Amino acid sequence: MFFRRSIWLTSLFAILFTGSAYAQQTQAPTATPEIPLRIIILSLDDIRRQSIAIKDIRQQITEFRKGFQVGIQKEEDSLRVANKELAKKRTILSPEAFAKERRQFEQRVVGVQKLVQKRKRQLDQAQIEAMLKVEAKLNQIIADIAQRRKATMVLRRKLTVLVASGFDVTAEILVRLNKE
């Protein structure tokens, strides 16, 4: 009984697999021509680290941030002095007058905090906009090099294990990005 069942299952599998193999052989060839695989590799980390434009953006943002910090430091010093003066006035002024001055001081503190947040957002936005311009130029250069080399695939260096030097276009991209 067991022997008959195993023969029957074996026959069934043979028919199924033979039928699917035959079906695969008799399918009509696809009309899509085969595209040759041509790959180029680039290291975005190296490009971002060595690009003159990106270094310049970082330097300008750092300089603006330092100037911004100097201005904020002056405001904070001014607020400390005003807070000390307000503390001295506490014994001199009536509770209503002191409360009024305290509210004015707190409004001034809130104003400085808002200014700090506004400037930080402006710096962040300026950096984002500048980096987007560089990224757009970088993408244009990559597309141009890929087209010129008739590459069908562009991979990041991080995603590869071993690459022949002829595939890596990082230096070429960096030269063009720094020039343009």
Side-chain angles (χ1 to χ4, degrees), residues 9 14 24 28 34 40-41 47 50 56 58 61 74 76 88 94 97 102 106 108-109 117 128 132 139 145 153 155:
L9 286 174
Q24 288 176 355
E34 218 175 277
I40 59 173
I41 307 291
I47 291 168
Q50 298 172 16
D56 188 46
R58 288 185 186 130
I61 294 296
K74 288 179 184 177
E76 288 176 349
K88 289 178 186 176
S94 68
R102 183 76 185 165
E106 288 170 355
R108 191 170 160 204
V109 169
Q117 291 172 354
I128 288 168
L132 284 174
N139 288 338
I145 290 172
M153 185 180 295
L155 295 175

Coordinates of all heavy atoms in Angstrom, one line a residue, residues 9 14 24 28 34 40-41 47 50 56 58 61 74 76 88 94 97 102 106 108-109 117 128 132 139 145 153 155:
L9 N 2.6 9.3 -5.9 CA 3.0 10.7 -5.7 C 4.2 11.0 -6.6 O 4.3 12.1 -7.1 CB 3.4 10.8 -4.2 CG 2.3 10.8 -3.2 CD1 2.8 10.8 -1.8 CD2 1.4 12.1 -3.4
A14 N 6.2 14.2 -11.2 CA 6.9 14.1 -12.4 C 6.0 14.8 -13.5 O 6.5 15.5 -14.4 CB 7.2 12.7 -12.8
Q24 N 7.2 26.4 -19.7 CA 8.2 27.5 -19.7 C 8.9 27.5 -21.1 O 9.3 28.6 -21.6 CB 9.2 27.3 -18.6 CG 8.6 27.6 -17.2 CD 9.6 27.3 -16.1 OE1 10.6 26.8 -16.3 NE2 9.2 27.7 -14.9
A28 N 6.1 32.3 -25.5 CA 6.6 33.2 -26.5 C 7.8 34.1 -26.0 O 7.7 34.5 -24.8 CB 5.5 34.1 -27.1
E34 N 17.3 42.8 -24.4 CA 18.1 42.7 -23.2 C 19.0 44.0 -23.1 O 19.6 44.3 -24.1 CB 18.9 41.5 -23.3 CG 19.0 40.8 -21.9 CD 19.8 39.5 -22.0 OE1 19.2 38.5 -22.4 OE2 21.0 39.6 -21.7
I40 N 28.1 52.1 -12.4 CA 29.1 53.0 -11.9 C 28.9 53.1 -10.4 O 27.7 52.9 -9.9 CB 29.1 54.4 -12.5 CG1 27.7 55.1 -12.4 CG2 29.5 54.3 -14.0 CD1 27.7 56.5 -12.9
I41 N 29.9 53.4 -9.6 CA 29.9 53.4 -8.2 C 30.3 54.8 -7.8 O 31.2 55.4 -8.3 CB 30.8 52.4 -7.6 CG1 30.6 51.0 -8.1 CG2 30.8 52.4 -6.1 CD1 29.3 50.4 -7.7
I47 N 32.2 62.5 -1.3 CA 31.9 63.7 -2.0 C 31.5 64.8 -1.0 O 31.9 66.0 -1.1 CB 30.8 63.5 -3.1 CG1 31.4 62.6 -4.2 CG2 30.2 64.8 -3.6 CD1 30.3 62.0 -5.1
Q50 N 34.5 66.1 1.0 CA 35.6 66.8 0.3 C 35.2 67.9 -0.6 O 36.0 68.6 -1.2 CB 36.4 65.7 -0.5 CG 37.0 64.7 0.3 CD 37.6 63.6 -0.5 OE1 37.9 63.7 -1.7 NE2 37.9 62.4 0.1
D56 N 32.3 75.1 2.2 CA 32.0 76.6 2.2 C 30.7 76.8 2.9 O 30.6 77.8 3.7 CB 32.0 77.2 0.8 CG 31.9 78.7 0.8 OD1 32.7 79.3 1.6 OD2 31.1 79.2 0.0
R58 N 29.2 75.0 5.1 CA 29.4 74.7 6.6 C 30.2 75.8 7.2 O 29.8 76.2 8.4 CB 30.2 73.4 6.8 CG 29.3 72.2 6.5 CD 30.1 70.9 6.8 NE 29.3 69.7 6.3 CZ 29.8 68.8 5.6 NH1 31.1 68.8 5.3 NH2 29.1 67.8 5.3
I61 N 27.8 78.9 7.6 CA 26.8 78.7 8.6 C 27.5 78.8 10.0 O 26.9 79.4 10.9 CB 26.1 77.3 8.5 CG1 25.3 77.3 7.2 CG2 25.3 76.9 9.7 CD1 24.1 78.2 7.1
K74 N 24.9 88.9 24.3 CA 24.6 90.3 24.8 C 23.2 90.4 25.4 O 23.0 91.1 26.4 CB 24.8 91.3 23.6 CG 26.3 91.5 23.2 CD 26.4 92.4 22.1 CE 27.9 92.6 21.6 NZ 28.0 93.4 20.5
E76 N 21.4 88.0 26.7 CA 21.3 87.3 27.9 C 22.0 88.1 29.0 O 21.4 88.1 30.2 CB 22.0 85.9 27.8 CG 21.2 85.0 26.9 CD 21.9 83.6 26.7 OE1 23.1 83.5 27.0 OE2 21.2 82.7 26.2
K88 N 16.4 94.1 43.1 CA 16.6 95.2 44.0 C 15.4 96.1 44.2 O 15.2 96.6 45.3 CB 17.8 96.1 43.5 CG 19.1 95.4 43.6 CD 20.2 96.3 42.9 CE 21.5 95.7 42.9 NZ 22.5 96.5 42.2
S94 N 5.9 99.0 45.2 CA 4.7 98.4 45.7 C 4.5 97.1 45.0 O 5.0 96.8 43.9 CB 3.5 99.3 45.5 OG 3.2 99.4 44.1
A97 N 3.3 97.6 41.4 CA 4.3 98.1 40.5 C 5.4 97.1 40.2 O 5.8 96.9 39.1 CB 5.0 99.4 41.2
R102 N 7.8 93.1 36.7 CA 8.1 91.6 36.5 C 7.5 91.1 35.2 O 8.1 90.4 34.4 CB 7.5 90.8 37.7 CG 7.9 89.4 37.7 CD 9.3 89.2 38.0 NE 9.7 87.8 37.9 CZ 10.9 87.4 37.9 NH1 11.9 88.3 38.0 NH2 11.2 86.1 37.8
E106 N 9.4 89.6 32.0 CA 9.1 88.2 31.4 C 8.8 88.3 30.0 O 9.1 87.5 29.2 CB 7.9 87.6 32.2 CG 8.3 87.2 33.6 CD 7.2 86.8 34.5 OE1 6.0 86.9 34.0 OE2 7.4 86.3 35.6
R108 N 10.0 90.5 28.0 CA 11.4 90.7 27.3 C 12.1 89.4 27.2 O 12.7 89.1 26.1 CB 12.2 91.7 28.2 CG 13.4 92.2 27.5 CD 14.0 93.3 28.3 NE 15.4 93.4 27.9 CZ 16.3 94.0 28.6 NH1 16.0 94.5 29.8 NH2 17.6 94.1 28.2
V109 N 12.0 88.5 28.2 CA 12.6 87.2 28.1 C 12.0 86.4 27.0 O 12.7 85.7 26.2 CB 12.5 86.5 29.5 CG1 12.9 85.0 29.4 CG2 13.4 87.1 30.6
Q117 N 14.8 81.4 18.6 CA 14.2 80.4 17.8 C 14.1 80.8 16.4 O 14.3 80.0 15.4 CB 12.8 80.0 18.4 CG 12.9 79.3 19.7 CD 11.5 79.2 20.3 OE1 10.5 79.7 19.8 NE2 11.4 78.5 21.5
I128 N 19.7 74.3 4.7 CA 18.9 73.3 3.9 C 18.8 73.8 2.4 O 19.1 73.0 1.5 CB 17.5 73.1 4.5 CG1 17.6 72.4 5.8 CG2 16.6 72.4 3.5 CD1 16.3 72.3 6.6
L132 N 20.4 71.9 -0.7 CA 19.6 71.4 -1.8 C 20.1 71.8 -3.2 O 20.0 71.1 -4.1 CB 18.1 71.9 -1.6 CG 17.3 71.2 -0.5 CD1 16.0 71.9 -0.4 CD2 17.1 69.7 -0.9
N139 N 23.3 65.8 -8.5 CA 22.5 64.8 -9.2 C 22.6 65.1 -10.7 O 22.6 64.1 -11.5 CB 21.0 65.0 -8.8 CG 20.8 64.4 -7.4 OD1 21.6 63.6 -6.9 ND2 19.7 64.8 -6.7
I145 N 27.3 62.0 -16.1 CA 28.4 61.0 -16.1 C 27.8 59.6 -16.5 O 28.4 58.9 -17.3 CB 29.2 61.0 -14.8 CG1 30.1 62.3 -14.7 CG2 30.1 59.8 -14.7 CD1 30.8 62.5 -13.4
M153 N 23.1 51.5 -14.2 CA 22.9 51.5 -12.8 C 23.9 52.3 -12.0 O 25.1 52.2 -12.4 CB 22.9 50.0 -12.3 CG 22.5 49.9 -10.8 SD 22.6 48.2 -10.2 CE 21.2 47.5 -11.2
L155 N 25.3 52.9 -8.2 CA 25.3 52.4 -6.8 C 26.1 53.2 -5.9 O 27.2 53.8 -6.3 CB 25.8 50.9 -6.7 CG 25.0 49.9 -7.5 CD1 25.7 48.5 -7.4 CD2 23.6 49.8 -6.9

